[in-house]
Amino acid sequence: MKNYNFAFLDESSKRAVRRALLKAVAIPGYQVPFGSRELPIGRGWGTGGIQITLSIIGKKDILKVIDQGSDDSVNAISIRSFVRAATGVRTTTDSQEATLIQTRHRIPEIPLRGDQILVLQVPLPEPLRMVEPLESVTKRMHAEMDYAPIWLALYENIVRSGDIELGADYPVMVENRYIMMPSPIPRFDNPKLHKSPALHLFGAGREKKIYALPPYTDVRSLCFEDYPFRVEDMSGRVCRLCGAKDVFMDEFFDPASGKRLYQCSDSGYCEKRKENQPRG
Amino acid sequence: MDKPFALELDGLVVRYGKGCPLCTDSAQALQRNRCPRCGSIWAVRDISLRVREGEILGVVGESGSGKSTLMRALYLDSQPTAGGYYLGRYHDGKTNIYSISLQQRKYIRSHLLGMVYQNPHLGLRMFFSAGANVAEKLIAAGNRNVRSMMNRTGTLLEHIEVPLGRLKEPPVNFSGGMQQRLQIAKAVANNPPVLLLDEVTTGLDLSVQARVLDLVKRIQREFGVTMIVVSHDLAVVRMLAGRTVVMLDGRIIEQGITDQILEDPRHIYTQTLVNSLL
Ligand SMILES: Nc1ncnc2c1ncn2[C@@H]1O[C@H](COP(=O)(O)OP(=O)(O)OP(=O)(O)O)[C@@H](O)[C@H]1O
Ligand SMILES: [Mg+2]
Ligand SMILES: [Zn+2]
């Protein structure tokens, strides 16, 4: 890739993304429009996240790429090798070693530090879309904090079915100002966003939006006083590979034994635990 | 002079369309409420009103005279072309509500005003449950407790005589009278001091009309709510309103004690209106 600029994008494109990022950091939870570029990667493959990564990465960064918790999916491997080819930076699967982590659908189990940046790939950035199809209207609703329709949708959910039935991508309130989609992370990961020391950057390539949570931002999952927010119940689940508990697990059905088996969704975390265990 | 007022309107103007030098400079140029040159509609022209606490004011006028436009301006649905609007319960009536922030207006809409729209599709979310429709007002006022909201909506539905079993049903399934009563329940959910009723009984059977009017009178009696009641049915206005204004082409052409207006109308237009509708 000799004919390309460092990190593939030309400097003016990167600057444009960084300007959008600065604005996003200045207004936590607010969706900033940006001029999303074409990339040699299929749509729906996290082009929003990749553009952020390419625009902020430096030669000394150590990169980790996660796809639904895993470092080894086709998606994660191809993004990782693309960025490595375009920058020459070192890559890792260890979340604690990484300075820059791009992810889809998970946040690492080990709490992030202030010297780390998490870039999240976002398919649907607009929390008001479920109640309002028009972009011009949702923009005005955010400006006026006109969030009653979202609350109403949650209320209606409870009235009809007895509970809030949202799964992943559960909306959050940022600094008591903007309602934001955390990207399709499980509810289990929502609390990790609250007052995290790390910088979180969200990129939606198709919808051309960037938003951010600067360090120590107040992030609360929407809930009613008498219907508190709940994460997925992982109690009683033990990782078949490393023995971990109280982390987010993937579930398998083992046809041989007819049993359900569990395994850490965060493969880097699982690997690290196995390495630190005495071999038997 | 400084009697306590619930609501005051000073020179309200609502224009649909851009306007042009002709219609902006001279009201005489208009054909009825429409500018012959630019086609703008001057739906409300220089309306001033003062309503005392606990009073019910009637608004009558032919179709297109600007009644609903006036009501939507009072409910802060949009920014009018010009005018001052003051509520006794907001900053002691000293602040023009058309000049304050959107956030403050939202507060006023959810705490100080209730509205029944002429067209129930504007006032209700037809595909949400009846209960959620009423709860929307509570949510807008900041309530985040499901149990308390369910209790309140249950009480309100009982009040408007909608069977509790229909709480989960969407109003699209309801009769016209039931939709209007549901709008009333929603409008009074936060006990607002001012209630705006736009053609609350129009299109309903006489027996259903009577029930809705009973409900309105009960609310006025029990809570001393100030109301503005729009109707082109003079019988409705006679039954509810002590004082009435008559609108034509966006302007008030006559006003006074309702019985006087109905028995001894001064303006030729009012005479026609009274003769045709009584
Ligand atoms: N959104 C709009 N755009 C343009 N003109 C409008 C709009 N809404 C109302 N008008 C016009 O404004 C005038 C006043 O309409 P409005 O609905 O306020 O009358 P009304 O007195 O409520 O009539 P009705 O008794 O039929 O309900 C009419 O000439 C109407 O055609
Ligand atoms: Mg009308
Ligand atoms: Zn004109």
Side-chain angles (χ1 to χ4, degrees), chain A residues 144-146 148-149 151-153 155-156 158-160 224-227, chain B residues 102 106 125 127-129 132 135-136 139 144-147 149-150 168:
Chain A
E144 295 174 15
M145 268 187 97
D146 183 7
W151 287 103
L152 191 64
Y155 178 85
E156 179 83 328
I158 293 173
V159 169
R160 289 197 181 197
F224 290 97
E225 290 159 13
D226 47 347
Y227 281 79
Chain B
L102 291 169
K106 256 178 55 179
R125 292 175 191 270
F127 297 96
F128 274 73
S129 66
E136 182 171 10
I139 288 172
R144 294 291 179 265
N145 190 293
V146 174
R147 187 164 300 276
M149 287 193 277
M150 281 176 158
K168 293 188 184 183

Side-chain angles (χ1 to χ4, degrees), chain B residues 16-17 33 41-44 61-70 72 118 198-199 230 232:
Chain B
Y16 297 112
N33 62 5
I41 304 281
W42 295 73
V44 171
E62 64 178 14
S63 183
S65 57
K67 304 180 299 293
S68 293
T69 303
L70 166 69
R72 288 199 299 266
Q118 178 174 11
D198 191 357
E199 306 282 6
V230 163
H232 50 252

Side-chain angles (χ1 to χ4, degrees), chain B residues 146-237:
Chain B
V146 174
R147 187 164 300 276
S148 90
M149 287 193 277
M150 281 176 158
N151 288 339
R152 176 77 180 138
T153 47
T155 311
L156 285 163
L157 287 192
E158 226 168 282
H159 238 77
I160 59 167
E161 296 168 25
V162 169
L164 270 182
R166 309 199 64 173
L167 191 100
K168 293 188 184 183
E169 241 181 275
V172 69
N173 294 351
F174 289 4
S175 67
M178 221 191 247
Q179 287 178 354
Q180 289 311 63
R181 280 180 285 145
L182 186 60
Q183 279 209 79
I184 293 175
K186 181 176 180 177
V188 302
N190 293 319
N191 296 316
V194 175
L195 207 52
L196 307 166
L197 307 177
D198 191 357
E199 306 282 6
V200 71
T201 59
T202 306
L204 305 179
D205 294 344
L206 280 180
S207 64
V208 183
Q209 270 194 28
R211 278 172 84 186
V212 173
L213 290 177
D214 267 352
L215 176 62
V216 172
K217 280 197 284 191
R218 197 145 43 96
I219 291 166
Q220 205 268 341
R221 244 194 343 263
E222 284 175 27
F223 305 103
V225 179
T226 306
M227 297 190 195
I228 298 187
V229 178
V230 163
S231 182
H232 50 252
D233 184 346
L234 298 186
V236 168
V237 168

